[in-house]
Amino acid sequence: MALTALFLRSIVAVFMMTVLAQDGNSVARKEKEIFGSKFDPFFRTEQLIIRPTRNLPGGYHQFPYNNFIPFGPIFHLDLLNQALDLQNYIANMTVETEDGETVRLQDICFQPKTNVCAVESLFQYFQNNKTRLNKCISVMGYDCDDEPSYDFNAYDYHDHVLDCTSSPTSDDNWKLKESCLSAYGGPIMPDMVLDGFDGKAYQNATTLIITFVVNNHKDTTKLKKAMAWETAFIEYMKGYTKDPKNGNLTISFSAERAIQGERDRETPSVTDITI
């Protein structure tokens, strides 16, 4: 039951993005509004769609057979580190409401586990931890940076991505000795956090999808903190995407405010998104 609930929450996040692109008078939009009037409203979703600017495929030689496994262009380690830095900055940024209250994502997010926000992301296979993302284990079990001269690299993030996309519920990946479960304790379905691949070849993905799941309320007076955070999120992403030093990533972004008819026309967050 718990796994099903987590999976359905992921589907809801994608559905919300689909509605985002709909015309205000569309059937989908009206059905969503009717649902929201009868039941608790859908979660608010803030989303990043991240692609490499240069389409350079990658890959690695898999231990122990040394066979080459191709990976999509988003899986270069420098790009993954940059995207994780961005995700973690957004998750921890502090903003201020009009009333002077301080707000962080943790104050407004949906928390399946106490004090841990639900963020749907590839990086949850590493519990959003850069040390784990960059982890490399030698044949003899040493950290690759400390391995003896007669030892050599065996396992790294490539192996972990292959294993976790194949078995998202694994709690003990023996290669890196790390869990595939998210920081909030649930599995991450690869179809919800990756795009641009065929079939189940998730390693060929060209795109990362990062979704921040935020609580919603019928009573709009309870949404001041979320609205303030979303405004800051949009403004930060405008600046981030315009900064030349971030030009190696092409990023589309959206916030729930757009669904409510408060879309900022200057942001590319909706027009660039295809679900």
Side-chain angles (χ1 to χ4, degrees), residues 37-54:
S37 68
K38 302 294 184 182
F39 306 99
D40 288 337
F42 285 108
F43 294 111
R44 303 176 74 84
T45 54
E46 335 300 348
Q47 198 161 54
L48 302 175
I49 311 292
I50 304 177
R51 306 177 181 91
T53 300
R54 300 180 65 192

Side-chain angles (χ1 to χ4, degrees), residues 100-114:
E101 290 185 270
T102 299
V103 183
R104 295 176 63 188
L105 180 63
Q106 190 166 334
D107 299 319
I108 59 174
C109 71
F110 173 66
Q111 299 179 11
K113 181 179 178 181
T114 305

Side-chain angles (χ1 to χ4, degrees), residues 2 7 11 27 32 39 41 62 64 89 104 107 136 140 147 158 177 182-183 194 209 211 216 219 230 238 256 273 275:
F7 181 71
I11 291 178
V27 173
K32 172 185 173 293
F39 306 99
Q62 189 177 51
Y89 177 86
R104 295 176 63 188
D107 299 319
C136 176
M140 298 182 68
E147 65 188 32
H158 293 97
K177 300 179 176 63
S182 67
L194 295 169
I209 303 172
T211 306
N216 209 351
D219 183 353
E230 289 165 359
K238 283 183 185 179
E256 184 73 16
I273 291 177
I275 298 292

Side-chain angles (χ1 to χ4, degrees), residues 127-254:
Q127 296 75 50
N128 309 317
N129 185 295
K130 283 189 72 175
T131 299
R132 293 174 185 170
L133 174 63
N134 290 275
K135 189 174 184 178
C136 176
I137 300 297
S138 75
V139 173
M140 298 182 68
Y142 291 96
D143 185 287
C144 292
D145 292 333
D146 302 322
E147 65 188 32
S149 58
Y150 49 82
D151 199 0
F152 55 91
N153 297 0
Y155 306 115
D156 65 8
Y157 73 97
H158 293 97
D159 299 281
H160 200 61
V161 168
L162 288 173
D163 290 346
C164 292
T165 54
S166 175
S167 183
T169 60
S170 174
D171 193 28
D172 185 18
N173 185 304
W174 64 271
K175 292 176 182 176
L176 287 187
K177 300 179 176 63
E178 300 288 354
S179 173
C180 292
L181 295 176
S182 67
Y184 63 80
I188 297 296
M189 302 304 159
D191 306 80
M192 302 300 163
V193 297
L194 295 169
D195 198 8
F197 56 87
D198 293 324
K200 300 296 182 182
Y202 302 112
Q203 73 275 9
N204 293 330
T206 62
T207 305
L208 300 177
I209 303 172
I210 300 175
T211 306
F212 304 90
V213 185
V214 174
N215 289 318
N216 209 351
H217 303 278
K218 286 184 180 180
D219 183 353
T220 57
T221 62
K222 296 180 179 179
L223 294 174
K224 288 183 180 180
K225 290 184 177 181
M227 299 280 276
W229 190 92
E230 289 165 359
T231 298
F233 165 74
I234 291 173
E235 290 305 312
Y236 178 77
M237 287 309 304
K238 283 183 185 179
Y240 188 95
T241 54
K242 290 177 181 178
D243 190 334
K245 71 180 182 182
N246 301 320
N248 54 341
L249 294 177
T250 298
I251 305 177
S252 300
F253 56 93
S254 69

Side-chain angles (χ1 to χ4, degrees), residues 109-125:
C109 71
F110 173 66
Q111 299 179 11
K113 181 179 178 181
T114 305
N115 297 323
V116 182
C117 292
V119 179
E120 299 289 303
S121 167
L122 173 83
F123 301 116
Q124 290 282 17
Y125 293 141

